[in-house]
Each structure stands twice: as structure tokens, then as C-alpha cells.
Amino acid sequence: MERFVLDTSVFTNPNIFAQFGDTSQAAILEFLGLARRVKARFYMPTSVYEELGKVKDLATVAADFESVVRIRSPRKFKLMIPGEILYEFIEEVRTRIDRGLRIAEELTKEASQFGGGDTPDMGQLINRLRGRYREALRQGILDSKEDVDVLLLAYELDGTLISGDEGMRKWADKVGIHIISPGNLKRVLSQLETHGNLPSVED
């Protein structure tokens, strides 16, 4: 039976949930209806479900959601992941920190070049620093415990990861987790409903 591990982006990113409905609430209901009809199991880590509840009002759909999507955390103390992955992650974090420092140095030098009566627009410089620094350190990397929970649960279950997060998808691919494009989720589930199964990961 197929196992799908869901990230919040499935229901919070308009580019993803639009395949199910015009609003995230409508999308959740449409997704749940389709999910009930397919031979598959759906999972979401507890931390991710709590995060979803903070950004979307789940009060009217919580019972339906929890009857379709299994809410549970990965078994962190029993999981074993390749040591090489940890080394690679540490090396990437170090590289990104160095990149962030270079960006800070560059903009500091730019600010110091103003002389005489000229004054830099500090607000603009700070916004540029924040934008470039955020891109250097956070884009394309696991940067929250929720991200790690999704990744570990998919790894533990040998499931298919559904996420619009670039970093999560990149690291899922590194550890051999099956991924599908989140924008294709409805079509994949419709095919699963029609044919009963998807090609195996090995195919």
C-alpha cells in the first residue's frame, strides 16, 4: 500500500492547493474526499500538524482530517541514517555560514563608502542584507524541526514525500526517499484511484 507523508505546503501554498480547490479550506475537503477513495495511507508528523493548525483554521475539518491522515512523529530514537549524510549536512551549513558572512561584509563595506553629506539608506541596506542572508542560509536546506520530522518519517516508512519545500526535497533525494512533484498530487491520486497502485520505486 502506498504511503504518503505530507508537509504543510500541500495545504498552505496556493500553487499547490489550487489543484484541489480555490481556497485552502476547500482544497483540504477535496483532498480528504479523494484520499478516502484510494488504497493508500497518508501521514503527517505531529509537529507539522500543529504548525498547520497555527496558519489554517482546522476546527471544522480536524476530525475528518485526522480520520484520513495519520498524525504521528517519526521514531527518532530507533532510526539509523547514513553517517555520510550528517557529514554532508554539516559541510553545507558551514559553507552557507561563510557565504552569509561574505554578504554581511560586502554590505558593510558598501555602507562605509558613503562620505561627506551622503548617508546610506540604512533601511534599504538592512532589507537587502536580510533578503540575501536568508537566501544564503535557508533556501534549499533543512531549517526547522518540522522539516526534519517530515524527512525522518518518510525515511522510516519508506514513503513518498509530498512537499513544495526545495530543501526538504533535495535532502529527501539524497537519502533515497521517493518524491513526487506536489503539483501533480491530485493527478497521482486520481491514477491511484483508477489503477489501484503506482509503479514501484524500483521501476
Side-chain angles (χ1 to χ4, degrees):
M1 182 176 287
E2 298 291 335
R3 295 183 178 94
F4 296 96
V5 180
L6 308 172
D7 178 34
T8 55
S9 61
V10 175
F11 306 110
T12 60
N13 186 328
N15 294 325
I16 299 175
F17 73 64
Q19 64 191 298
F20 292 104
D22 294 334
T23 66
S24 59
Q25 197 82 354
I28 290 174
L29 292 173
E30 176 68 18
F31 164 79
L32 293 176
L34 182 54
R36 285 191 184 95
R37 301 194 298 270
V38 301
K39 292 182 178 179
R41 289 181 178 172
F42 300 87
Y43 296 83
M44 178 177 281
T46 306
S47 61
V48 176
Y49 184 54
E50 291 173 351
E51 181 183 47
L52 179 62
K54 291 177 182 177
V55 295
K56 298 295 177 183
D57 183 6
L58 300 177
T60 60
V61 298
D64 291 329
F65 193 93
E66 292 173 21
S67 70
V68 174
V69 180
R70 298 181 178 205
I71 310 299
R72 85 166 185 80
S73 298
R75 297 188 174 105
K76 304 179 184 73
F77 297 102
K78 292 185 177 181
L79 276 173
M80 295 181 65
I81 61 174
E84 180 62 28
I85 294 298
L86 181 59
Y87 282 106
E88 190 172 341
F89 181 77
I90 291 171
E91 184 61 30
E92 179 164 348
V93 169
R94 177 180 294 179
T95 300
R96 286 170 177 269
I97 290 173
D98 289 343
R99 194 183 308 160
L101 287 173
R102 287 195 297 272
I103 290 170
E105 290 169 358
E106 177 187 329
L107 290 179
T108 300
K109 289 178 182 177
E110 182 178 330
S112 67
Q113 289 173 356
F114 286 85
D118 295 330
T119 56
D121 185 337
M122 294 306 296
Q124 186 179 26
L125 281 176
I126 290 172
N127 286 335
R128 284 174 56 201
L129 174 60
R130 285 176 175 168
R132 293 182 61 190
Y133 194 82
R134 185 182 299 112
E135 180 180 350
L137 265 69
R138 299 188 62 182
Q139 186 172 321
I141 195 172
L142 302 174
D143 64 353
S144 71
K145 67 176 184 178
E146 291 81 12
D147 287 359
V148 176
D149 279 348
V150 172
L151 191 73
L152 291 180
L153 186 57
Y155 186 78
E156 176 190 335
L157 298 172
D158 195 20
T160 297
L161 176 71
I162 312 295
S163 174
D165 185 280
E166 178 186 338
M168 205 183 305
R169 290 168 58 81
K170 182 181 78 173
W171 284 91
D173 188 59
K174 286 179 182 288
V175 298
I177 294 172
H178 185 215
I179 56 177
I180 63 172
S181 174
N184 293 333
L185 179 57
K186 184 175 182 179
R187 292 181 62 187
V188 168
L189 295 184
S190 296
Q191 291 178 14
L192 188 58
E193 180 184 17
T194 302
H195 302 293
N197 64 283
L198 298 175
S200 68
V201 176
E202 290 76 16
D203 288 350

